[in-house]
C-alpha cells in the first residue's frame, strides 16, 4: 500500500472513532438514575428524537427538541442549568451533547440506552 491509501485509512478510522467516543464533560447516567432526578426543577430534560417518535412514546418532563433543530433552538435552554438528553438508543443524544457542549453548556448528561432502556 502506498502512503495515500494509508492516509485514507487513518482518516476513516479517525472519523469512526470520533463518532463513538464519549464527549469530554458529558456525564453518562442510567435510566434509573434519571428517574430519580425527574422532579428536580434545576434540570432541563430534552428528548432529541423526531416528533413522531416523541408522540409515540415519551416521558414527562422531557421536552421534544429534535436533534436537527437543536443548534437553532439552544436559546430555549438555560446554560446555567443541567441538561439531560435522551433519544431512542443513546447515539443521537450523544451527538446532541456535543452540540450543547459547543454552544457553551456546562453540565450535560446523556441517558445510557435511551428510551429503549426505559423500564
Amino acid at each position: 500500500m502506498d502512503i495515500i491509501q494509508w492516509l485514507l485509512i487513518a482518516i476513516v478510522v479517525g472519523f469512526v472513532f470520533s463518532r463513538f467516543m464519549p464527549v469530554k464533560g458529558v456525564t453518562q447516567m442510567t435510566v434509573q438514575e434519571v428517574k430519580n432526578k425527574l422532579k428536580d426543577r434545576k434540570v432541563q430534560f430534552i428528548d432529541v428524537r423526531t416528533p413522531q417518535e416523541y408522540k409515540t412514546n415519551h416521558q414527562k418532563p422531557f421536552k421534544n427538541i429534535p436533534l436537527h433543530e437543536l443548534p437553532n433552538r439552544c436559546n430555549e435552554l438555560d446554560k446555567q442549568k443541567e441538561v439531560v438528553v435522551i433519544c431512542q438508543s443513546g447515539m443521537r443524544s450523544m451527538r446532541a451533547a456535543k452540540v450543547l457542549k459547543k454552544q457553551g453548556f456546562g453540565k450535560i448528561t446523556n441517558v445510557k440506552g435511551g428510551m429503549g432502556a426505559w423500564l
Side-chain angles (χ1 to χ4, degrees):
M1 282 190 171
D2 66 353
I3 189 94
I4 297 196
Q5 288 174 321
W6 281 111
L7 186 59
L8 286 173
I9 290 171
I11 290 170
V12 169
V13 168
F15 176 77
V16 171
F17 189 69
S18 72
R19 287 297 208 180
F20 294 103
M21 282 298 296
V23 180
K24 277 187 177 181
V26 175
T27 305
Q28 298 290 321
M29 202 175 272
T30 66
V31 169
Q32 189 56 51
E33 290 170 317
V34 171
K35 285 181 180 181
N36 294 336
K37 290 187 104 162
L38 290 177
K39 294 185 182 186
D40 188 343
R41 295 195 183 271
K42 297 176 191 162
V43 179
Q44 305 166 99
F45 297 93
I46 305 301
D47 187 326
V48 296
R49 296 177 300 155
T50 65
Q52 294 79 15
E53 289 174 297
Y54 182 79
K55 283 179 192 173
T56 302
N57 179 29
H58 68 274
Q59 299 295 323
K60 290 183 181 179
F62 283 89
K63 175 182 178 180
N64 186 223
I65 301 179
L67 178 59
H68 71 279
E69 295 178 11
L70 187 60
N72 297 323
R73 293 182 61 188
C74 283
N75 61 338
E76 296 175 27
L77 304 171
D78 185 343
K79 290 183 179 182
Q80 305 307 312
K81 291 183 178 180
E82 178 180 1
V83 180
V84 175
V85 289
I86 195 169
C87 65
Q88 186 60 39
S89 67
M91 297 299 290
R92 283 178 283 179
S93 54
M94 276 308 293
R95 290 202 319 255
K98 287 180 183 181
V99 168
L100 293 170
K101 199 71 178 162
K102 286 181 183 175
Q103 294 284 336
F105 287 80
K107 190 155 185 188
I108 306 163
T109 300
N110 181 49
V111 181
K112 284 192 258 183
M115 288 299 295
W118 204 274
L119 303 173

